[in-house]
Amino acid sequence: GMTVRGAEECGLKDIDAALDRFDEATPLVKKQLLYGCARTAMSDGEIKSDEAELLRAIADTIGVPVPPLVKN
């Protein structure tokens, strides 16, 4: 099963390792991950600049193109 970790257990090294694993996933799984991240970022009804940058970084790391999310 899946275990949800506390924030204190999720450092950058852990996130990097998880994204490396997702990089090996199928395109559909990658799309679902990015969609879930975007839904989370939009939970307050908007995507802020730092959230958009994080989504782009995640997409780049797992090799998924992402359209522009915020106006320049």
Side-chain angles (χ1 to χ4, degrees):
M2 188 182 213
T3 303
V4 177
R5 296 169 139 191
E8 67 280 353
E9 297 179 62
C10 296
L12 290 178
K13 185 177 178 182
D14 300 301
I15 294 169
D16 190 45
L19 290 175
D20 283 346
R21 288 184 64 196
F22 270 107
D23 188 36
E24 299 173 9
T26 65
L28 179 59
V29 170
K30 291 177 181 185
K31 182 179 176 182
Q32 290 172 332
L33 170 67
L34 196 59
Y35 179 77
C37 291
R39 295 258 330 208
T40 301
M42 291 178 52
S43 65
D44 62 356
E46 65 181 338
I47 294 183
K48 296 172 189 72
S49 297
D50 57 343
E51 294 168 331
E53 287 179 36
L54 183 56
L55 285 171
R56 285 188 193 109
I58 291 169
D60 186 53
T61 300
I62 63 173
V64 175
V66 64
L69 300 170
V70 293
K71 294 179 181 177
N72 291 332

